[in-house]
Amino acid sequence: HVQLVESGGGSVEAGGSLKLSCTPTDEDIYKRYCMAWFRQAPGMERDGIATFNVDGERRYADSVKGRLTISYDSAKNTLDLQMNALKPEDTALYYCAASLDRACDYRRVVDFRYWGQWTHVTVS
């Protein structure tokens, strides 16, 4: 069973930056499964915002494109989400997730098997 642990959340003013990290218990997960970041705002459904597949291809939701960057840090073995130019509407619980395929679609929540607990981001 794979566990994912998010970190790096916090409070920031609009226009600021935060970097989230996801640490898996399985160090080789990136070689097998597509990874992603999701978020869930209060009263809203959980939405995918970025994916990182086994081949290193990245995809982003339109709402975050140009502001958020998903990447894999091989030295730390973390899946990171660099968030710049943050807006109040970015306030949400942020989740790291792993699918069971080499590629994945952030629009398909059902495709993701493993989930972290969450880390909270507040933008004011």
Side-chain angles (χ1 to χ4, degrees):
H1 179 70
V2 177
Q3 291 185 311
L4 306 172
V5 180
E6 299 95 339
S7 61
S11 297
V12 65
E13 293 185 350
S17 299
L18 279 175
K19 183 179 180 179
L20 307 183
S21 293
C22 171
T23 304
T25 53
D26 180 352
E27 294 184 353
D28 292 331
I29 191 172
Y30 306 106
K31 299 177 183 178
R32 303 196 308 275
Y33 300 147
C34 182
M35 306 284 293
W37 282 96
F38 285 75
R39 68 184 181 186
Q40 188 166 15
M44 305 293 286
E45 293 184 351
R46 191 173 301 184
D47 291 326
I49 53 176
T51 57
F52 188 91
N53 73 16
V54 172
D55 296 324
E57 183 181 12
R58 312 171 197 189
R59 294 186 182 270
Y60 299 93
D62 288 343
S63 59
V64 304
K65 199 172 293 183
R67 300 188 299 118
L68 274 57
T69 302
I70 189 171
S71 63
Y72 169 58
D73 186 330
S74 59
K76 299 179 180 178
N77 195 46
T78 57
L79 181 75
D80 296 333
L81 186 69
Q82 177 66 46
M83 305 190 295
N84 299 326
L86 284 164
K87 306 175 182 180
E89 51 263 45
D90 294 317
T91 295
L93 300 178
Y94 283 72
Y95 297 84
C96 175
S99 73
L100 292 180
D101 294 300
R102 296 176 59 86
C104 54
D105 186 340
Y106 59 79
R107 295 166 293 185
R108 292 178 54 85
V109 177
V110 297
D111 289 349
F112 292 84
R113 173 68 179 274
Y114 301 110
W115 293 87
Q117 186 170 3
W118 50 262
T119 186
H120 191 243
V121 172
T122 300
V123 185
S124 59

Short mmCIF file of all heavy atoms in Angstrom, two decimals, residues 30-78:
data_model
loop_
_atom_site.label_atom_id
_atom_site.label_comp_id
_atom_site.label_asym_id
_atom_site.label_seq_id
_atom_site.Cartn_x
_atom_site.Cartn_y
_atom_site.Cartn_z
N TYR A 30 7.22 6.89 -9.14
CA TYR A 30 7.24 7.76 -10.30
C TYR A 30 7.60 6.99 -11.58
O TYR A 30 7.32 7.46 -12.68
CB TYR A 30 8.24 8.90 -10.10
CG TYR A 30 8.01 9.67 -8.83
CD1 TYR A 30 8.85 9.52 -7.73
CD2 TYR A 30 6.93 10.55 -8.73
CE1 TYR A 30 8.63 10.22 -6.57
CE2 TYR A 30 6.72 11.26 -7.57
CZ TYR A 30 7.56 11.08 -6.49
OH TYR A 30 7.34 11.77 -5.34
N LYS A 31 8.24 5.85 -11.42
CA LYS A 31 8.62 5.04 -12.58
C LYS A 31 7.44 4.21 -13.09
O LYS A 31 7.50 3.67 -14.20
CB LYS A 31 9.77 4.11 -12.21
CG LYS A 31 11.02 4.83 -11.75
CD LYS A 31 12.09 3.83 -11.33
CE LYS A 31 13.33 4.54 -10.81
NZ LYS A 31 14.37 3.58 -10.35
N ARG A 32 6.41 4.09 -12.29
CA ARG A 32 5.29 3.21 -12.64
C ARG A 32 3.98 3.96 -12.84
O ARG A 32 3.19 3.60 -13.73
CB ARG A 32 5.08 2.17 -11.55
CG ARG A 32 6.29 1.31 -11.24
CD ARG A 32 5.88 0.07 -10.44
NE ARG A 32 5.08 0.40 -9.27
CZ ARG A 32 5.58 0.74 -8.09
NH1 ARG A 32 6.88 0.83 -7.92
NH2 ARG A 32 4.79 0.98 -7.07
N TYR A 33 3.73 4.95 -12.03
CA TYR A 33 2.41 5.57 -12.00
C TYR A 33 2.44 7.07 -12.27
O TYR A 33 3.33 7.78 -11.80
CB TYR A 33 1.75 5.36 -10.64
CG TYR A 33 1.56 3.91 -10.25
CD1 TYR A 33 1.65 3.52 -8.92
CD2 TYR A 33 1.28 2.94 -11.20
CE1 TYR A 33 1.46 2.21 -8.55
CE2 TYR A 33 1.10 1.62 -10.84
CZ TYR A 33 1.20 1.26 -9.51
OH TYR A 33 1.02 -0.04 -9.15
N CYS A 34 1.43 7.50 -12.97
CA CYS A 34 1.22 8.92 -13.18
C CYS A 34 0.79 9.55 -11.86
O CYS A 34 -0.04 8.99 -11.13
CB CYS A 34 0.16 9.13 -14.25
SG CYS A 34 -0.18 10.84 -14.66
N MET A 35 1.33 10.73 -11.56
CA MET A 35 1.03 11.43 -10.32
C MET A 35 0.29 12.73 -10.62
O MET A 35 0.36 13.25 -11.73
CB MET A 35 2.32 11.76 -9.56
CG MET A 35 3.23 10.58 -9.30
SD MET A 35 2.63 9.54 -7.98
CE MET A 35 2.82 10.63 -6.57
N ALA A 36 -0.38 13.26 -9.61
CA ALA A 36 -1.16 14.48 -9.83
C ALA A 36 -1.36 15.26 -8.54
O ALA A 36 -1.19 14.73 -7.45
CB ALA A 36 -2.51 14.13 -10.44
N TRP A 37 -1.73 16.51 -8.75
CA TRP A 37 -2.19 17.35 -7.64
C TRP A 37 -3.65 17.70 -7.90
O TRP A 37 -4.03 18.05 -9.03
CB TRP A 37 -1.37 18.63 -7.54
CG TRP A 37 -0.04 18.43 -6.88
CD1 TRP A 37 1.16 18.22 -7.49
CD2 TRP A 37 0.22 18.42 -5.48
NE1 TRP A 37 2.15 18.08 -6.57
CE2 TRP A 37 1.61 18.20 -5.31
CE3 TRP A 37 -0.57 18.58 -4.34
CZ2 TRP A 37 2.22 18.13 -4.06
CZ3 TRP A 37 0.04 18.51 -3.09
CH2 TRP A 37 1.41 18.30 -2.96
N PHE A 38 -4.44 17.60 -6.84
CA PHE A 38 -5.83 17.99 -6.86
C PHE A 38 -6.05 19.05 -5.78
O PHE A 38 -5.22 19.22 -4.89
CB PHE A 38 -6.74 16.79 -6.54
CG PHE A 38 -6.88 15.82 -7.65
CD1 PHE A 38 -5.87 14.94 -7.97
CD2 PHE A 38 -8.05 15.77 -8.40
CE1 PHE A 38 -6.00 14.03 -9.02
CE2 PHE A 38 -8.21 14.87 -9.43
CZ PHE A 38 -7.18 14.00 -9.74
N ARG A 39 -7.19 19.71 -5.85
CA ARG A 39 -7.55 20.62 -4.78
C ARG A 39 -9.06 20.63 -4.60
O ARG A 39 -9.80 20.34 -5.53
CB ARG A 39 -7.02 22.03 -5.05
CG ARG A 39 -7.66 22.76 -6.21
CD ARG A 39 -6.98 24.10 -6.41
NE ARG A 39 -7.58 24.86 -7.50
CZ ARG A 39 -7.10 26.00 -7.96
NH1 ARG A 39 -5.99 26.51 -7.42
NH2 ARG A 39 -7.70 26.64 -8.94
N GLN A 40 -9.44 20.98 -3.39
CA GLN A 40 -10.87 21.04 -3.08
C GLN A 40 -11.13 22.28 -2.25
O GLN A 40 -10.67 22.39 -1.10
CB GLN A 40 -11.30 19.79 -2.31
CG GLN A 40 -12.80 19.69 -2.11
CD GLN A 40 -13.22 18.30 -1.65
OE1 GLN A 40 -12.39 17.49 -1.22
NE2 GLN A 40 -14.49 18.01 -1.76
N ALA A 41 -11.87 23.21 -2.84
CA ALA A 41 -12.24 24.44 -2.14
C ALA A 41 -13.46 24.17 -1.28
O ALA A 41 -14.21 23.20 -1.54
CB ALA A 41 -12.53 25.53 -3.16
N PRO A 42 -13.71 24.98 -0.28
CA PRO A 42 -14.87 24.77 0.60
C PRO A 42 -16.17 24.69 -0.18
O PRO A 42 -16.46 25.55 -1.01
CB PRO A 42 -14.84 26.01 1.50
CG PRO A 42 -13.42 26.43 1.52
CD PRO A 42 -12.89 26.13 0.14
N GLY A 43 -16.93 23.64 0.04
CA GLY A 43 -18.21 23.46 -0.61
C GLY A 43 -18.15 23.05 -2.06
O GLY A 43 -19.18 23.01 -2.75
N MET A 44 -16.95 22.75 -2.54
CA MET A 44 -16.78 22.41 -3.95
C MET A 44 -16.30 20.97 -4.11
O MET A 44 -15.87 20.34 -3.15
CB MET A 44 -15.78 23.36 -4.60
CG MET A 44 -16.11 24.83 -4.46
SD MET A 44 -17.60 25.29 -5.37
CE MET A 44 -16.94 25.27 -7.04
N GLU A 45 -16.37 20.47 -5.32
CA GLU A 45 -15.85 19.14 -5.61
C GLU A 45 -14.32 19.19 -5.72
O GLU A 45 -13.74 20.24 -5.92
CB GLU A 45 -16.44 18.63 -6.92
CG GLU A 45 -17.93 18.37 -6.86
CD GLU A 45 -18.46 17.76 -8.15
OE1 GLU A 45 -17.70 17.70 -9.14
OE2 GLU A 45 -19.62 17.35 -8.16
N ARG A 46 -13.73 18.02 -5.59
CA ARG A 46 -12.29 17.91 -5.75
C ARG A 46 -11.94 17.99 -7.23
O ARG A 46 -12.49 17.25 -8.05
CB ARG A 46 -11.80 16.58 -5.16
CG ARG A 46 -10.30 16.48 -5.03
CD ARG A 46 -9.90 15.23 -4.28
NE ARG A 46 -10.47 15.18 -2.95
CZ ARG A 46 -10.21 14.23 -2.08
NH1 ARG A 46 -9.37 13.24 -2.40
NH2 ARG A 46 -10.77 14.24 -0.89
N ASP A 47 -11.03 18.89 -7.58
CA ASP A 47 -10.66 19.11 -8.97
C ASP A 47 -9.19 18.83 -9.19
O ASP A 47 -8.34 19.24 -8.39
CB ASP A 47 -10.94 20.56 -9.40
CG ASP A 47 -12.41 20.87 -9.47
OD1 ASP A 47 -13.20 19.96 -9.82
OD2 ASP A 47 -12.79 22.01 -9.16
N GLY A 48 -8.89 18.18 -10.29
CA GLY A 48 -7.50 17.97 -10.66
C GLY A 48 -6.94 19.25 -11.26
O GLY A 48 -7.63 19.97 -11.99
N ILE A 49 -5.68 19.54 -10.95
CA ILE A 49 -5.07 20.75 -11.48
C ILE A 49 -3.77 20.49 -12.26
O ILE A 49 -3.40 21.29 -13.11
CB ILE A 49 -4.79 21.79 -10.37
CG1 ILE A 49 -3.98 21.18 -9.23
CG2 ILE A 49 -6.10 22.38 -9.86
CD1 ILE A 49 -3.59 22.18 -8.15
N ALA A 50 -3.10 19.40 -11.99
CA ALA A 50 -1.85 19.13 -12.71
C ALA A 50 -1.50 17.65 -12.62
O ALA A 50 -1.74 17.01 -11.61
CB ALA A 50 -0.71 19.96 -12.13
N THR A 51 -0.94 17.14 -13.71
CA THR A 51 -0.48 15.75 -13.74
C THR A 51 0.96 15.67 -14.21
O THR A 51 1.44 16.53 -14.95
CB THR A 51 -1.35 14.88 -14.66
OG1 THR A 51 -1.33 15.44 -15.98
CG2 THR A 51 -2.76 14.78 -14.16
N PHE A 52 1.62 14.60 -13.77
CA PHE A 52 3.02 14.34 -14.14
C PHE A 52 3.10 12.85 -14.44
O PHE A 52 3.05 12.02 -13.54
CB PHE A 52 3.92 14.70 -12.96
CG PHE A 52 5.39 14.65 -13.27
CD1 PHE A 52 6.04 15.78 -13.72
CD2 PHE A 52 6.12 13.49 -13.10
CE1 PHE A 52 7.40 15.75 -14.00
CE2 PHE A 52 7.47 13.45 -13.38
CZ PHE A 52 8.12 14.58 -13.83
N ASN A 53 3.22 12.52 -15.74
CA ASN A 53 3.19 11.10 -16.06
C ASN A 53 4.58 10.48 -16.02
O ASN A 53 5.58 11.17 -15.78
CB ASN A 53 2.47 10.84 -17.39
CG ASN A 53 3.29 11.28 -18.59
OD1 ASN A 53 4.49 11.51 -18.50
ND2 ASN A 53 2.63 11.39 -19.74
N VAL A 54 4.65 9.19 -16.25
CA VAL A 54 5.90 8.45 -16.09
C VAL A 54 6.98 8.96 -17.04
O VAL A 54 8.18 8.93 -16.73
CB VAL A 54 5.66 6.95 -16.29
CG1 VAL A 54 6.95 6.17 -16.32
CG2 VAL A 54 4.76 6.41 -15.19
N ASP A 55 6.57 9.45 -18.19
CA ASP A 55 7.53 9.98 -19.18
C ASP A 55 7.91 11.43 -18.91
O ASP A 55 8.66 12.02 -19.69
CB ASP A 55 6.94 9.85 -20.59
CG ASP A 55 6.72 8.41 -20.97
OD1 ASP A 55 7.54 7.56 -20.58
OD2 ASP A 55 5.71 8.13 -21.64
N GLY A 56 7.39 11.99 -17.84
CA GLY A 56 7.74 13.36 -17.50
C GLY A 56 6.84 14.42 -18.14
O GLY A 56 7.07 15.62 -17.97
N GLU A 57 5.82 13.97 -18.87
CA GLU A 57 4.91 14.93 -19.50
C GLU A 57 4.02 15.55 -18.43
O GLU A 57 3.52 14.87 -17.55
CB GLU A 57 4.05 14.23 -20.54
CG GLU A 57 3.13 15.17 -21.28
CD GLU A 57 2.26 14.45 -22.29
OE1 GLU A 57 2.23 13.21 -22.25
OE2 GLU A 57 1.61 15.14 -23.10
N ARG A 58 3.81 16.85 -18.54
CA ARG A 58 3.00 17.57 -17.56
C ARG A 58 1.77 18.17 -18.25
O ARG A 58 1.86 18.64 -19.39
CB ARG A 58 3.81 18.71 -16.94
CG ARG A 58 5.18 18.28 -16.47
CD ARG A 58 6.02 19.45 -16.06
NE ARG A 58 7.43 19.09 -16.00
CZ ARG A 58 8.38 19.87 -15.51
NH1 ARG A 58 8.06 21.04 -15.00
NH2 ARG A 58 9.63 19.48 -15.52
N ARG A 59 0.67 18.15 -17.55
CA ARG A 59 -0.55 18.77 -18.05
C ARG A 59 -1.17 19.58 -16.92
O ARG A 59 -1.06 19.21 -15.75
CB ARG A 59 -1.53 17.73 -18.57
CG ARG A 59 -1.02 17.00 -19.80
CD ARG A 59 -2.07 16.06 -20.37
NE ARG A 59 -1.56 15.33 -21.52
CZ ARG A 59 -1.64 15.76 -22.77
NH1 ARG A 59 -2.22 16.93 -23.02
NH2 ARG A 59 -1.16 15.04 -23.76
N TYR A 60 -1.84 20.67 -17.31
CA TYR A 60 -2.40 21.58 -16.32
C TYR A 60 -3.84 21.95 -16.67
O TYR A 60 -4.21 22.08 -17.84
CB TYR A 60 -1.58 22.88 -16.25
CG TYR A 60 -0.14 22.68 -15.85
CD1 TYR A 60 0.85 22.51 -16.81
CD2 TYR A 60 0.23 22.67 -14.51
CE1 TYR A 60 2.18 22.33 -16.45
CE2 TYR A 60 1.55 22.49 -14.13
CZ TYR A 60 2.52 22.33 -15.10
OH TYR A 60 3.84 22.16 -14.74
N ALA A 61 -4.61 22.17 -15.62
CA ALA A 61 -5.94 22.72 -15.81
C ALA A 61 -5.80 24.18 -16.21
O ALA A 61 -4.83 24.85 -15.82
CB ALA A 61 -6.74 22.61 -14.52
N ASP A 62 -6.75 24.67 -16.98
CA ASP A 62 -6.68 26.06 -17.46
C ASP A 62 -6.62 27.05 -16.31
O ASP A 62 -6.01 28.11 -16.42
CB ASP A 62 -7.90 26.36 -18.34
CG ASP A 62 -7.81 25.67 -19.69
OD1 ASP A 62 -6.71 25.22 -20.08
OD2 ASP A 62 -8.86 25.56 -20.36
N SER A 63 -7.25 26.71 -15.19
CA SER A 63 -7.32 27.63 -14.07
C SER A 63 -5.97 27.91 -13.43
O SER A 63 -5.80 28.91 -12.72
CB SER A 63 -8.27 27.08 -13.00
OG SER A 63 -7.82 25.81 -12.54
N VAL A 64 -4.99 27.04 -13.67
CA VAL A 64 -3.68 27.21 -13.03
C VAL A 64 -2.54 27.34 -14.03
O VAL A 64 -1.40 27.61 -13.64
CB VAL A 64 -3.38 26.05 -12.07
CG1 VAL A 64 -4.49 25.90 -11.03
CG2 VAL A 64 -3.19 24.74 -12.83
N LYS A 65 -2.85 27.15 -15.28
CA LYS A 65 -1.80 27.17 -16.31
C LYS A 65 -1.05 28.50 -16.30
O LYS A 65 -1.66 29.58 -16.24
CB LYS A 65 -2.44 26.92 -17.67
CG LYS A 65 -1.47 26.46 -18.75
CD LYS A 65 -2.23 26.06 -20.01
CE LYS A 65 -3.08 24.83 -19.78
NZ LYS A 65 -3.79 24.40 -21.01
N GLY A 66 0.28 28.41 -16.29
CA GLY A 66 1.09 29.61 -16.29
C GLY A 66 1.46 30.10 -14.90
O GLY A 66 2.36 30.93 -14.74
N ARG A 67 0.76 29.61 -13.88
CA ARG A 67 1.03 30.04 -12.51
C ARG A 67 1.58 28.90 -11.64
O ARG A 67 2.35 29.15 -10.71
CB ARG A 67 -0.24 30.58 -11.86
CG ARG A 67 -0.85 31.76 -12.56
CD ARG A 67 -2.00 32.36 -11.75
NE ARG A 67 -3.08 31.39 -11.55
CZ ARG A 67 -3.46 30.95 -10.36
NH1 ARG A 67 -2.86 31.37 -9.25
NH2 ARG A 67 -4.46 30.09 -10.27
N LEU A 68 1.15 27.69 -11.92
CA LEU A 68 1.58 26.54 -11.13
C LEU A 68 2.45 25.62 -11.98
O LEU A 68 2.20 25.45 -13.17
CB LEU A 68 0.37 25.76 -10.62
CG LEU A 68 -0.28 26.24 -9.30
CD1 LEU A 68 -0.72 27.68 -9.36
CD2 LEU A 68 -1.40 25.31 -8.91
N THR A 69 3.45 25.03 -11.35
CA THR A 69 4.35 24.12 -12.03
C THR A 69 4.51 22.84 -11.22
O THR A 69 4.88 22.90 -10.04
CB THR A 69 5.74 24.74 -12.25
OG1 THR A 69 5.61 25.95 -12.99
CG2 THR A 69 6.65 23.78 -13.01
N ILE A 70 4.22 21.71 -11.86
CA ILE A 70 4.40 20.41 -11.22
C ILE A 70 5.75 19.84 -11.66
O ILE A 70 6.14 19.95 -12.82
CB ILE A 70 3.25 19.45 -11.59
CG1 ILE A 70 3.31 18.17 -10.75
CG2 ILE A 70 3.23 19.13 -13.08
CD1 ILE A 70 2.06 17.30 -10.91
N SER A 71 6.46 19.24 -10.71
CA SER A 71 7.77 18.70 -11.05
C SER A 71 8.16 17.61 -10.07
O SER A 71 7.59 17.48 -9.00
CB SER A 71 8.83 19.81 -11.02
OG SER A 71 8.95 20.35 -9.72
N TYR A 72 9.15 16.82 -10.48
CA TYR A 72 9.67 15.75 -9.64
C TYR A 72 11.09 16.10 -9.24
O TYR A 72 11.93 16.37 -10.11
CB TYR A 72 9.64 14.43 -10.42
CG TYR A 72 10.40 13.32 -9.74
CD1 TYR A 72 10.07 12.91 -8.46
CD2 TYR A 72 11.46 12.68 -10.38
CE1 TYR A 72 10.77 11.89 -7.83
CE2 TYR A 72 12.16 11.66 -9.77
CZ TYR A 72 11.82 11.27 -8.48
OH TYR A 72 12.51 10.27 -7.88
N ASP A 73 11.33 16.11 -7.93
CA ASP A 73 12.67 16.36 -7.41
C ASP A 73 13.31 15.01 -7.08
O ASP A 73 12.98 14.38 -6.09
CB ASP A 73 12.57 17.23 -6.15
CG ASP A 73 13.93 17.67 -5.63
OD1 ASP A 73 14.92 16.92 -5.81
OD2 ASP A 73 14.01 18.74 -5.02
N SER A 74 14.22 14.59 -7.95
CA SER A 74 14.83 13.26 -7.78
C SER A 74 15.72 13.19 -6.55
O SER A 74 15.86 12.13 -5.94
CB SER A 74 15.62 12.88 -9.03
OG SER A 74 16.64 13.84 -9.27
N ALA A 75 16.30 14.30 -6.16
CA ALA A 75 17.19 14.29 -4.99
C ALA A 75 16.41 14.06 -3.71
O ALA A 75 16.86 13.38 -2.79
CB ALA A 75 17.96 15.60 -4.92
N LYS A 76 15.21 14.63 -3.65
CA LYS A 76 14.37 14.51 -2.46
C LYS A 76 13.29 13.47 -2.63
O LYS A 76 12.60 13.12 -1.67
CB LYS A 76 13.75 15.86 -2.12
CG LYS A 76 14.75 16.96 -1.81
CD LYS A 76 14.03 18.26 -1.51
CE LYS A 76 15.01 19.37 -1.18
NZ LYS A 76 14.32 20.66 -0.92
N ASN A 77 13.13 12.98 -3.86
CA ASN A 77 12.06 12.03 -4.17
C ASN A 77 10.70 12.60 -3.82
O ASN A 77 9.87 11.95 -3.16
CB ASN A 77 12.27 10.70 -3.44
CG ASN A 77 11.41 9.60 -4.01
OD1 ASN A 77 11.32 9.44 -5.23
ND2 ASN A 77 10.76 8.84 -3.14
N THR A 78 10.45 13.82 -4.24
CA THR A 78 9.17 14.45 -3.98
C THR A 78 8.54 14.93 -5.28
O THR A 78 9.23 15.26 -6.24
CB THR A 78 9.32 15.66 -3.04
OG1 THR A 78 10.26 16.59 -3.61
CG2 THR A 78 9.82 15.23 -1.67
#
